[in-house]
Amino acid sequence: MSFVTVLRKIWSYVFIVLLASACALVYVLFIFPNSFAPSGVNGIATMIQYVLGINVGYLSLIINIPLIIIVFFYVDKQFAIRTLVYISTFSVMLIVLQSSYVDLSRFAYQTDTGTSTILGPVVSGILNGGILGYAMMSNCCSGGTDLIAVIIHKKHPSYNLAWVMFALNTVVAISSYFVYDYKIEPVLLCIVYSYFSSTLSDKILKGNREAIRFEIVTNSPKEISEEIITKLGHSATIVEGKGGYTHEGRSVLICVVNKDQMVSLKDIIEKYPGSFATMSTVSGTVGYFKSRRKVPQAVDE
C-alpha cells in the first residue's frame, strides 16, 4: 500500500469524524432548542431526551451498536466500521456539547416568542442533509433508519425501502404531537426538517454525478467521435447497426456527457446531415467520468 493511499484512507476517516461532529453541533444549536424531533431513529431519541432527560448521545449508541454488529457480519464490514466511527463521534460529541463544561447557548437559535420558529428545522434540515449526503458518499451513514434499510435490503432486495423509511418518519412526526404538549407545530417542523434533509442529501448524492446520455445514429461516427473527444473531453462507444426501414448500415454512438455539455454536443450532431440522436438523463455515473474533460485522450465509456 503506497503512502498516498494510506493518507487518503486516513483522511476518509478524519472526514467522517468531522461530518459527525458537525451533525452533533447542528442538533445542539438548532434542533434541541426549538423543541421538535428530526426524522428517523434520532427523532425518537430526541423525544426520549425531551421527556426523560436521557442524552441522545447515549440513546444513539444503544440503538445503533446492535444494528452495526448485524451489518458487520451480515452485509458489509467496511460500511459497518465507517458507520461505527460516525455514530461514536456523533454520540460522544453530543454528550460533550450538552455537558456542563460546554455552553453554546449564546450561539443556539431559539425564538421564545415563536417568531421564525421554522428557521430552526429549515437550517438544520439543510445542514444535516448536506452532512448525510457526504457521509453516504464516504460509504457510511448516520445509523438508525439507514442501517435498518440496509439490513432489510440484504434479506429482501425487492422491498421498497423508501416506504419503510417513510413509515418510520411518519411515526416520529405523529408521536411528536403527543410528546411536545399536544401541539401541531412540532409535527409540521418535523415534516419541514425531513423535506429539506432528504432533498439536499439526495441532491448531493447524484447532483454532481448526473449526466446526459446520447444515442447518436449517424453515417459519420469517426468525425463525431473525434469532435466529442477533442471538444468535450469524453469519448463514445460505437455500435454497428442496420436501419429497420432501409436496411442500410448505420453506426450508433453511445456517449455520456456532463449536463452543461448537452448544447455543445447537439451542435456537433447538427453539423452532420442525416444524423439524429435520442438523449436521456443519467442519474449517476461512476469512475473518473467528471475529470475526463481535462484529459486529452479519454477512455471509451
Side-chain angles (χ1 to χ4, degrees), residues 68-243:
I68 292 174
I69 293 174
I70 295 173
V71 171
F72 180 86
F73 289 104
Y74 189 60
V75 184
D76 187 319
K77 290 182 172 57
Q78 185 187 66
F79 179 79
I81 292 172
R82 287 172 175 257
T83 300
L84 177 61
V85 172
Y86 184 99
I87 294 298
S88 300
T89 304
F90 172 75
S91 299
V92 170
M93 287 300 297
L94 272 184
I95 294 170
V96 171
L97 293 177
Q98 293 189 91
S99 67
S100 57
Y101 301 101
V102 180
D103 183 12
L104 297 177
S105 58
R106 71 181 69 180
F107 304 106
Y109 179 81
Q110 183 179 18
T111 53
D112 296 329
T113 61
T115 58
S116 301
T117 305
I118 195 172
L119 288 181
V122 168
V123 173
S124 57
I126 291 173
L127 293 176
N128 276 349
I131 291 169
L132 177 59
Y134 284 110
M136 295 179 71
M137 289 177 65
S138 301
N139 193 29
C140 70
C141 70
S142 60
T145 318
D146 295 331
L147 288 174
I148 295 173
V150 168
I151 296 170
I152 293 176
H153 182 71
K154 177 69 176 181
K155 183 68 175 178
H156 303 284
S158 62
Y159 281 16
N160 189 335
L161 299 180
W163 286 106
V164 176
M165 300 176 74
F166 174 78
L168 181 57
N169 291 336
T170 300
V171 171
V172 173
I174 295 175
S175 299
S176 64
Y177 171 80
F178 302 96
V179 172
Y180 295 102
D181 303 322
Y182 301 95
K183 296 179 181 178
I184 194 64
E185 187 177 61
V187 178
L188 302 179
L189 296 183
C190 177
I191 294 172
V192 170
Y193 172 90
S194 300
Y195 172 78
F196 281 98
S197 178
S198 59
T199 300
L200 187 58
S201 62
D202 183 65
K203 184 67 177 177
I204 288 174
L205 280 174
K206 53 179 199 178
N208 292 332
R209 309 302 288 177
E210 281 186 340
I212 305 296
R213 171 190 169 101
F214 279 81
E215 294 185 3
I216 308 165
V217 180
T218 181
N219 286 322
S220 307
K222 182 179 179 181
E223 293 83 355
I224 294 178
S225 63
E226 286 180 351
E227 288 206 51
I228 292 173
I229 293 171
T230 57
K231 294 182 179 181
L232 304 182
H234 292 287
S235 185
T237 298
I238 302 176
V239 180
E240 298 301 330
K242 181 186 291 186

